[in-house]
Amino acid sequence: MCAPLAGALAWDAVGDARAQQCHDRRTATAHLVADPEPGGRGIARTRATVRWTAPEGGRRTDRVPVDDRLARGASVTVWIEADGSLTSALLGPAASRFDAAVAGLAVTGASPCSP
């Protein structure tokens, strides 16, 4: 009886974390500051410096992975936190469900409850 409850609570916690990420993260359009360095042989992605405007209006600059065929001035989408700092993209719905299921199973397997 305890394991299903623990699993359900873990499922809810992962869902709540994703909902918080959806609230806190957003996309922004960034522009390449310079042409990216060519990727290695057979590699079409490299890192390049981009600039974007944070929600409060300040300009931000950082390096992100981009297609090496892009040129200076090209637009790319970056994920940012509410303060304008770079972050990773949101997990898709399928990945979120997988994480929630794994968390639920991990908690139920590690939750010895007496009958």
Side-chain angles (χ1 to χ4, degrees), residues 7-21 91 95-104 107:
L9 291 174
W11 177 276
D12 286 346
V14 172
D16 291 347
R18 184 175 193 291
Q20 186 65 43
Q21 284 183 352
L91 289 178
S96 295
R97 284 191 298 274
F98 177 79
D99 284 356
V102 169
V107 169

Side-chain angles (χ1 to χ4, degrees), residues 11-80:
W11 177 276
D12 286 346
V14 172
D16 291 347
R18 184 175 193 291
Q20 186 65 43
Q21 284 183 352
C22 288
H23 180 264
D24 294 343
R25 295 179 185 186
R26 64 198 74 178
T27 59
T29 300
H31 301 280
L32 270 68
V33 174
D35 291 341
E37 297 284 327
R41 182 176 167 166
I43 300 173
R45 297 205 41 98
T46 187
R47 295 183 64 79
T49 302
V50 297
R51 182 172 293 132
W52 69 97
T53 303
E56 85 283 351
R59 305 282 284 167
R60 301 290 182 96
T61 304
D62 208 336
R63 292 179 58 80
V64 299
V66 298
D67 185 315
D68 71 354
R69 295 171 292 187
L70 295 176
R72 179 181 181 182
S75 298
V76 295
T77 300
V78 294
W79 281 89
I80 59 171

